[in-house]
Amino acid sequence: MASVEQEDRIDAIFHALADRTRRDILRRVLADDQSVTSLAANYDMSFAAVQKHVAVLERAGLITKQRSGRQQLASGQVTAVRSVFGLLTELEGHWRGRIDRIDQLLGEEP
């Protein structure tokens, strides 16, 4: 069973991924590091709004930011994305097991 800290991190990741703009930002920075300024140019919202989206992704551990001169570069964290995939795979296994048991029960003769 996961610790409270692990569960909080999972909650933060799924909260971050619940928004389509944040998912798009994550896709972009996983493909290539990008400045927050260049990310903001892709959206019909203020620079501050994009910064807030980036901050949510950063708190969830899905991206990191680092200074490069006057710019802040955002980088995708593949390890965090893999942890989400691992969790979803684990949940899928549980559900497949339940479905298999239901199929077995339905196949049995009364």
Side-chain angles (χ1 to χ4, degrees), residues 20-91:
R20 74 177 61 171
T21 300
R22 290 192 289 266
R23 289 190 304 271
D24 190 62
I25 290 170
L26 181 60
R27 283 184 198 102
R28 290 174 188 274
V29 298
L30 283 169
D32 190 28
D33 295 354
Q34 295 195 27
S35 71
V36 178
T37 303
S38 68
L39 284 169
N42 295 295
Y43 305 101
D44 188 26
M45 61 181 71
S46 69
F47 178 79
V50 173
Q51 277 184 311
K52 287 179 183 180
H53 282 301
V54 169
V56 169
L57 290 164
E58 188 176 25
R59 279 193 302 274
L62 293 165
I63 67 170
T64 57
K65 287 189 308 191
Q66 63 185 30
R67 279 232 172 260
S68 176
R70 294 175 48 196
Q71 295 183 329
Q72 288 187 351
L73 290 180
S75 304
Q77 296 302 302
V78 176
T79 304
V81 174
R82 284 189 182 133
S83 73
V84 172
F85 178 75
L87 176 65
L88 292 175
T89 301
E90 178 185 328
L91 293 172

